[in-house]
Amino acid sequence: MGVEARRGPRRGEDTRAAILEAARVEFARTGYAGTSLRAVARAAGVDPALVHHYFEGKDDLFAQSVVLVSLPGRPASLVSQVTEGPREEVGLRAVRTFLGVWEARRSSFEALLRSIVTSEEVSRAVREFLTQEIFGQVVAGLEPGLGPEERDLRAGLAAAAAMGLAMGRYVVRLPGVADADPETLVQRVGPVLQGYLLPR
């Protein structure tokens, strides 16, 4: 009876919110490939047909519940946080900015990271977001005269360092890295990104 009660009439926004929250938990727990719409419906306490009613498919549900929450919708805001200020502190600002985003959206971001290794679609979306919308724009803003090859190399190296830090802290949970104070990571990893973004 408890399950049936949960499946009773709900306001549309409440139902959609319940599905999104259940999806975030399931994607974080089992990754993109291991999550089914039926499992999400069961966790949300709704009929599977309601999941299809609100979302076009698993990719749409993942985008709505994880990607859009984990990767902010205004990349220009992140880019400006990194580029505005002394050039010698670009790397520090980059790490500080991204750790701030990740820590505030930790559960969704963990789901996104786990799904990168199981879904080429997710991997491509994150790759394009980081290299084109974030680090590519950071490099272009710092060095507008760079050719595309050098710009892509710098952006790719910076993105690789950022994702390595994210995987080590939130998924693999490397000792020392997982429980380090964010500002400690800023001071240790910032100079690495500095060297990638503005090599001497």
Side-chain angles (χ1 to χ4, degrees):
M1 181 169 177
V3 173
E4 291 304 317
R6 290 200 306 273
R7 294 190 180 188
R10 274 177 166 168
R11 287 189 303 155
E13 284 305 307
D14 290 345
T15 301
R16 189 174 186 279
I19 294 170
L20 286 171
E21 179 57 31
R24 275 191 282 273
V25 172
E26 290 298 309
F27 283 124
R29 189 171 64 86
T30 63
Y32 185 86
T35 297
S36 69
L37 296 184
R38 186 169 294 276
V40 170
R42 185 166 53 249
V46 301
D47 190 282
L50 282 174
V51 179
H52 291 281
H53 172 73
Y54 287 105
F55 304 95
E56 294 180 4
K58 185 162 77 167
D59 57 341
D60 182 42
L61 178 59
F62 185 78
Q64 297 289 332
S65 65
V66 176
V67 177
L68 295 181
V69 176
S70 305
L71 303 178
R74 295 188 300 169
S77 173
L78 292 179
V79 171
S80 65
Q81 289 179 54
V82 176
T83 57
E84 292 177 4
R87 286 171 66 85
E88 64 272 16
E89 296 177 5
V90 165
L92 297 176
R93 290 196 301 274
V95 179
R96 189 175 290 119
T97 295
F98 277 92
L99 279 173
V101 170
W102 297 339
E103 295 289 322
R105 300 167 169 83
R106 191 159 183 152
S107 63
S108 293
F109 189 61
E110 287 177 9
L112 180 67
L113 290 173
R114 292 182 188 282
S115 297
I116 285 174
V117 298
T118 60
S119 169
E120 174 55 30
E121 278 188 0
V122 176
S123 178
R124 182 174 62 252
V126 172
R127 180 171 65 243
E128 291 176 355
F129 180 86
L130 286 176
T131 58
Q132 296 176 21
E133 301 298 328
I134 301 298
F135 286 112
Q137 296 303 313
V138 167
V139 173
L142 295 170
E143 302 280 357
L146 280 181
E149 194 170 309
E150 177 65 17
R151 184 190 63 234
D152 290 348
L153 175 60
R154 295 189 190 186
L157 288 170
M163 289 308 295
L165 173 60
M167 292 294 289
R169 183 168 174 83
Y170 302 110
V171 177
V172 183
R173 301 186 190 281
L174 294 171
V177 177
D179 54 5
D181 178 77
E183 190 58 26
T184 297
L185 297 176
V186 168
Q187 297 301 321
R188 299 295 182 93
V189 183
V192 176
L193 264 73
Q194 182 77 25
Y196 289 154
L197 294 168
L198 287 172
R200 294 181 178 178

